[in-house]
Amino acid sequence: MMTPGIAPGRLSADAYARNFNDLYPDFDPHEAMVAADRCYFCHDAPCITACPTEIDIPLFIRQIQAGQPEAAAKTIFDQNILGGMCARVCPTETLCEGACVREAAEGQPVEIGRLQRYATDRLMAQGGHPYARAEPSGKRVAVVGAGPAGLACAHGLARRGHDVVIFEAREKPGGLNEYGIAAYKTPHDFAQSEVDWIMEIGGISLRQGMALGRDITLEGLRAEFDAVFLGMGLGGVNALGVSGDDRDGVRDAVDFIAELRQTDDLSALPVGRHVVVIGGGMTAVDAAVQSKLLGAEHVTMVYRRGRERMSASDHELDHAATAGVKIITDAMPVAVHGNGALREVEFAYTRQGANGLEASDERFRLPADQLFRAIGQTLEATPEGLALEGGKIAVDGAGKTSVPMVWAGGDCTGGGEDLTVTAVAQGRDAAADIHARLMG
Amino acid sequence: MADLRSDFLGIKSPNPFWLASAPPTDKEYNVVRAFKAGWGGVVWKTLGAEGPPIVNVNGPRYGAVWGADRRLLGLNNIELITDRPLEVNLREIKQVKRDWPDRAMVVSLMVPCDEESWKAILARVEETEADGVELNFGCPHGMSERGMGSAVGQVPEYIEMVTRWVKQHSRMPCIVKLTPNITDIRKPAEAAKRGGADAVSLINTISSITSVDLDNFSPEPSIDGKGAHGGYCGPAVKPIALNMVAEIARDPATAGLPISGIGGVTTWRDAAEFLALGAGNVQVCTAAMTYGFGIIKELTAGLSLYLDQKGMTLSELSGRAVPNVTDWQYLNLNYVTKARIDQDLCIKCGRCYAACEDTSHQAISMSPDRVFDVIDEECVACNLCVNVCPVENCITMERLPAGAVDLRTGQEVRDDHGDWTMHPNNPMARAAE
């Protein structure tokens, strides 16, 4: 329905259901056997190297071939306790599948992500938890943030016998898995089921509505616990810095995505008829594609540099284009026009100037009744005393910060590529380092 | 289009593809469907002696081995000879032969090991005007427990004796079907020839258990929790069959004895290989049971195209590779090759490296950026890297020219033939004399 402005209920009920269903449904056993058979069991396999959590991919695929997806899942979880989510949200085309020799050979990699999901879904569906806790250590560790980094760290610590308290600012645990990823990548409330499953290890208690700097302080945590892990992500959002940025209809993409993930009724969620998304990353793609899936007529993503500089992968950009999103590159917003509410966004094409990227005189306007900002997030409320690097918490290889007995990982640190899987690797490695330090 | 008309023991058929004696040839309905599809002939499913019909199991008769996409690689069966009344089979054979006079109609037989039983059945078969008989000395399951099938085929003296009876009591061409469940296939073939057989056909199925159910610990196929060995066939058995055919074709004692090649023929290429190793025609079963009779179109078109491309007739193909089958001791030790990796085709999977490093001669190097190279000083040319490489023609074996130095041995490659019979390390060497 071509209702102007920002309106809910643009689609029929089954269109919503169809649009937000599993993008890549689970393999059935025969499909999994055929897909697994394509793996060459490479020596020193490039896919393992390409995985930030270094899952032994050829081994788990061979275990699927041999008819034991549950054993395959154990191989995955040994390296990555959030292997179920990573199977759904990893940009595999730039990681394991991008490195697959069959991608090089024939442009058709082994479908590692889907095979990983096949294995992990089966083990998780069995019920029970595949790991047991070590003898209690008597040590207590505080984890700030129940996102991928915090959960991986907490599980690693609980497994080793430590008691963990997770402090989560939001209402629900899961972090970006719960609030920040496109709904069609992780439907059926998978993020919450996964958190519940991880917590089954025992020894982890979760305290929601506890934000660092508001409800708790780093000093307080350090006093109460033997060690602290910070994995609170990035709470702040970059502003556009142009006139009209505060008009009605201008929003942060992360809020839109979170609202969409939390709603029980997609048809009640309003979306513009003409939507413009500013940015070139995964958040921009997720906001743009989901606007389209909610029934927006025209959705345009605008990025200030060339396509090759976009942090969203080619696969994601192709998916956006297939969904009907128009992608404009080398243009930056210069003004947001409207009379109270947003009506148009004015852009200037960009060029390389003496001082970097600058606006040229060539301009164009896009009609818009909704504008999403997706130009990056920032660390907010950094506790004093923590050294920063590039605006994020500075850590060494094992996640140690500049403050004694405080570790950090995930998006709030500078190390990774802001992916779920890198956050898991950092949380996992920090847990190992914290354990070594506590028991050393 | 090459002429595929076949003459095997004077039995004429429009092509050299016969359906083997097996479930597909058990009755008129199936055989007529096969002939309509274009099959050159059939060997009717084995008839037994007059009397109460054979009884089959009422549970599964087949077990299988599959590839990942359920491609059937091997099949095993515990079905016995025909379980239909003898007179019904004979009547249908006669009718089909009358309706399809240009197709080969051979009747497979298995009766108790006494002269009267054979004499009796042969008279009945002759009345059908079938083109010939095939003596089933091969089935390894069920009937062998009753002293028939492979129980006969495993004793050359019995083969000779029964074959002699058959030739004595019948004017029909006689093909003796051999079991592979023996140590030396040449012995039963020689026995058949001594008994007067006009041809041998091989292989019958190989005694096998396809798998074990790891929950109830029954072999498959499982009949009420128990399993008996069956006969294995299909693509998996072809290499065994090819060797046995070649052994008979090149043995001076049996050279020239016509052979009907059987064992895993699935495409025209398999058939051409059997023919090249000395078979005069081929028999097919599992491929038809897997895909239906329609495969005959690929078999005939494929063989015809191949013969056209080679400018060869069917009879010129038959036996063409036999002179090249030899004993190990005559292989040329001066033929020196080295593995060569085409770096443009290499996809860097490293399987060649793992195979060579872990299980062979440490003759492939791996650089940090995954470039794989052959170390000539270590390469014994075993070919394992070629076999495990997933990319066809990425790794090849290249011959060193005469005069080149083999870096592994430090020896110059000679241009003459030199085999074990002449080698200095061989205490029995003859060449030095």
Side-chain angles (χ1 to χ4, degrees):
Chain A
M1 270 173 284
M2 296 312 163
T3 316
I6 304 176
R10 291 184 179 275
L11 303 174
S12 65
D14 46 320
Y16 284 111
R18 196 168 55 242
N19 288 355
F20 288 89
N21 201 355
D22 235 343
L23 186 58
Y24 302 106
D26 195 11
F27 278 140
D28 70 26
H30 180 79
E31 288 173 318
M33 289 305 261
V34 174
D37 191 52
R38 297 187 68 241
C39 175
Y40 288 146
F41 204 77
C42 294
H43 174 76
D44 190 12
C47 54
I48 305 178
T49 313
C51 173
T53 55
E54 294 186 300
I55 293 170
D56 191 340
I57 293 163
L59 174 60
F60 95 67
I61 294 179
R62 190 173 163 82
Q63 289 172 308
I64 293 174
Q65 290 171 5
Q68 291 185 316
E70 304 85 356
K74 189 71 175 10
T75 299
I76 294 161
F77 290 135
D78 282 349
Q79 289 294 111
N80 179 340
I81 197 66
L82 278 87
M85 181 60 80
C86 289
R88 290 163 165 78
V89 304
C90 264
T92 50
E93 63 281 0
T94 65
L95 300 171
C96 53
E97 291 179 16
C100 177
V101 298
R102 296 199 80 148
E103 167 63 25
E106 58 207 83
Q108 190 69 48
V110 174
E111 291 185 85
I112 299 167
R114 293 183 76 185
L115 286 166
Q116 178 164 322
R117 174 169 169 190
Y118 175 77
T120 52
D121 276 10
R122 263 143 202 83
L123 185 63
M124 291 171 82
Q126 276 186 353
H129 191 80
Y131 299 97
R133 292 188 72 192
E135 289 299 305
S137 67
K139 304 287 185 185
R140 298 177 70 241
V141 183
V143 169
V144 179
L151 289 168
C153 185
H155 189 271
L157 290 165
R159 236 176 99 188
R160 292 174 172 88
H162 310 299
D163 287 326
V164 182
V165 179
I166 303 181
F167 297 90
E168 168 55 47
R170 299 230 205 194
E171 191 185 328
K172 289 190 195 171
L176 291 180
N177 291 349
E178 174 59 36
Y179 291 98
I181 283 166
Y184 49 78
K185 291 180 186 169
T186 168
H188 314 305
D189 213 18
F190 180 77
Q192 288 310 299
S193 325
E194 185 178 49
V195 172
D196 294 343
W197 178 83
I198 288 169
M199 302 284 276
E200 281 176 34
I201 182 80
I204 305 173
S205 57
L206 177 65
R207 298 176 62 185
Q208 287 117 303
M210 302 290 273
L212 187 67
R214 185 186 73 196
D215 311 296
I216 46 172
T217 64
L218 184 56
E219 277 318 299
L221 294 177
R222 289 184 68 207
E224 188 185 343
F225 292 88
D226 296 298
V228 178
F229 176 80
L230 301 174
M232 62 281 199
L234 300 173
V237 179
N238 288 327
L240 287 180
V242 300
S243 68
D245 194 359
D246 55 352
R247 287 191 192 285
D248 288 349
V250 180
R251 250 189 120 175
D252 290 325
V254 289
D255 292 340
F256 168 67
I257 293 167
E259 187 181 356
L260 195 151
R261 283 293 300 276
Q262 298 307 311
T263 187
D264 292 330
D265 180 7
L266 288 164
S267 68
L269 206 64
V271 71
R273 180 174 175 183
H274 299 275
V275 175
V276 172
V277 182
I278 312 287
M282 298 286 283
T283 302
V285 169
D286 283 356
V289 170
Q290 293 191 110
S291 298
K292 192 75 192 160
L293 297 179
L294 281 174
E297 185 183 1
H298 296 287
V299 179
T300 312
M301 249 179 86
V302 187
Y303 179 58
R304 64 197 174 121
R305 299 182 191 273
R307 178 163 169 148
E308 70 287 351
R309 295 286 299 273
M310 292 175 125
S311 64
S313 67
D314 281 342
H315 178 83
E316 287 290 335
L317 293 171
D318 288 348
H319 177 236
T322 306
V325 172
K326 183 177 179 184
I327 298 169
I328 296 175
T329 59
D330 303 291
M332 61 196 282
V334 290
V336 176
H337 299 290
N339 186 9
L342 168 66
R343 288 185 53 190
E344 278 184 331
V345 188
E346 185 176 354
F347 292 91
Y349 281 110
T350 58
R351 64 183 175 207
Q352 272 311 317
N355 303 313
L357 202 67
E358 62 183 28
S360 71
D361 295 334
E362 197 179 342
R363 304 208 165 181
F364 65 93
R365 292 182 176 210
L366 293 176
D369 29 47
Q370 198 165 27
L371 171 71
F372 294 122
R373 290 178 292 242
I375 53 172
Q377 291 162 261
T378 55
L379 189 60
E380 71 177 3
T382 318
E384 278 182 34
L386 277 176
L388 300 186
E389 193 178 337
K392 296 183 173 187
I393 300 172
V395 289
D396 73 358
K400 269 200 277 293
T401 69
S402 59
V403 177
M405 299 311 284
V406 177
W407 282 256
D411 291 357
C412 65
T413 62
E417 298 163 69
D418 291 0
L419 298 174
T420 297
V421 66
T422 47
V424 172
Q426 290 159 2
R428 176 197 70 185
D429 294 346
D433 199 53
I434 292 168
H435 172 73
R437 186 65 194 279
L438 291 177
M439 308 309 283
Chain B
M1 288 287 283
D3 185 357
L4 291 186
R5 280 178 300 173
S6 164
D7 182 341
F8 188 76
L9 319 178
I11 304 171
K12 298 202 168 48
S13 59
N15 61 56
F17 298 99
W18 294 1
L19 285 167
S21 168
T25 60
D26 191 26
K27 55 184 188 292
E28 179 177 6
Y29 181 83
N30 304 69
V31 172
V32 168
R33 279 181 69 84
F35 285 166
K36 282 182 181 164
W39 289 84
V42 298
V43 181
W44 200 277
K45 185 170 166 83
T46 308
L47 309 184
E50 184 99 57
I54 287 294
V55 173
N56 267 302
V57 293
N58 296 301
R61 301 176 187 189
Y62 303 111
V65 172
W66 295 276
D69 203 7
R70 295 281 289 185
R71 178 179 280 260
L72 195 76
L73 304 175
L75 187 71
N76 114 334
N77 85 86
I78 57 169
E79 182 172 297
L80 303 183
I81 62 174
T82 185
D83 54 12
R84 304 189 319 142
L86 178 62
E87 53 275 22
V88 173
N89 277 308
L90 292 169
R91 190 172 66 236
E92 291 184 3
I93 290 166
K94 186 167 189 167
Q95 187 63 46
V96 175
K97 182 63 199 177
R98 192 161 288 176
D99 294 344
W100 298 84
D102 67 324
R103 308 302 168 96
M105 171 65 76
V106 174
V107 179
S108 175
L109 300 174
M110 182 196 288
V111 295
C113 224
D114 61 76
E115 191 169 356
E116 281 313 305
S117 296
W118 283 96
K119 193 176 168 185
I121 190 85
L122 285 163
R124 304 289 302 274
V125 174
E126 277 199 349
E127 287 170 14
T128 67
E129 295 171 46
D131 298 304
V133 291
E134 184 181 79
L135 314 188
N136 183 344
F137 296 158
C139 279
H141 52 274
M143 302 308 287
S144 55
E145 297 168 13
R146 307 177 199 176
M148 292 180 268
S150 65
V152 177
Q154 288 166 338
V155 184
E157 291 76 12
Y158 292 172
I159 294 175
E160 182 179 345
M161 176 179 73
V162 177
T163 307
R164 188 161 283 133
W165 292 337
V166 171
K167 288 310 291 182
Q168 202 175 325
H169 298 295
S170 162
R171 291 170 283 104
M172 291 181 287
C174 168
I175 304 167
V176 173
K177 188 166 181 178
L178 302 178
T179 176
N181 301 303
I182 41 87
T183 43
D184 185 348
I185 195 65
R186 293 173 300 184
K187 302 302 175 199
E190 286 167 18
K193 190 178 179 189
R194 280 197 304 274
D198 298 289
V200 289
S201 58
L202 70 159
I203 58 174
N204 205 308
T205 57
I206 302 173
S207 294
S208 59
I209 291 172
T210 48
S211 60
V212 178
D213 185 317
L214 289 177
D215 293 317
N216 70 6
F217 299 97
S218 169
E220 297 284 0
S222 174
I223 305 289
D224 196 20
K226 305 240 183 267
H229 77 263
Y232 200 44
C233 56
V237 310
K238 188 186 104 178
I240 297 164
L242 284 178
N243 175 57
M244 289 185 163
V245 165
E247 286 297 289
I248 293 169
R250 76 188 184 96
D251 180 6
T254 48
L257 180 66
I259 300 170
S260 186
I262 312 169
V265 172
T266 306
T267 70
W268 71 268
R269 185 176 291 274
D270 303 319
E273 290 174 16
F274 272 97
L275 294 169
L277 283 174
N281 73 2
V282 294
Q283 297 184 31
V284 179
C285 174
T286 310
M289 290 179 74
T290 309
Y291 303 108
F293 291 142
I295 60 166
I296 187 61
K297 295 180 181 66
E298 173 268 313
L299 292 169
T300 50
L303 185 60
S304 176
L305 178 60
Y306 169 75
L307 291 172
D308 283 345
Q309 285 168 340
K310 290 286 175 191
M312 210 184 278
T313 65
L314 193 58
S315 57
E316 285 168 344
L317 170 61
S318 182
R320 188 108 176 182
V322 175
N324 295 328
V325 184
T326 186
D327 293 340
W328 190 95
Q329 62 181 331
Y330 302 121
L331 296 176
N332 185 8
L333 298 173
N334 292 335
Y335 175 76
V336 181
T337 66
K338 296 286 176 188
R340 293 286 173 257
I341 301 173
D342 183 334
Q343 298 297 343
D344 292 334
L345 290 177
C346 176
I347 61 171
K348 305 189 186 304
C349 67
R351 277 167 61 158
C352 58
Y353 174 82
C356 195
E357 192 71 9
D358 287 353
T359 71
S360 297
H361 301 89
Q362 296 77 48
I364 293 178
S365 66
M366 175 179 175
S367 73
D369 57 342
R370 302 182 74 82
V371 174
F372 300 90
D373 276 312
V374 175
I375 303 164
D376 281 2
E377 287 82 350
E378 305 297 338
C379 179
V380 304
C382 72
N383 209 41
L384 182 63
C385 55
V386 173
N387 296 142
V388 302
C389 177
V391 181
E392 199 174 359
N393 296 324
C394 174
I395 310 180
T396 48
M397 284 293 159
E398 306 291 336
R399 183 176 194 169
L400 294 188
V405 173
D406 177 352
L407 294 177
R408 184 176 68 87
T409 59
Q411 303 288 310
E412 214 171 85
V413 175
R414 297 169 51 154
D415 61 358
D416 57 344
H417 176 93
D419 61 38
W420 175 245
T421 63
M422 319 163 184
H423 198 276
N425 290 14
N426 179 359
M428 310 291 282
R430 286 166 287 163
E433 292 165 8

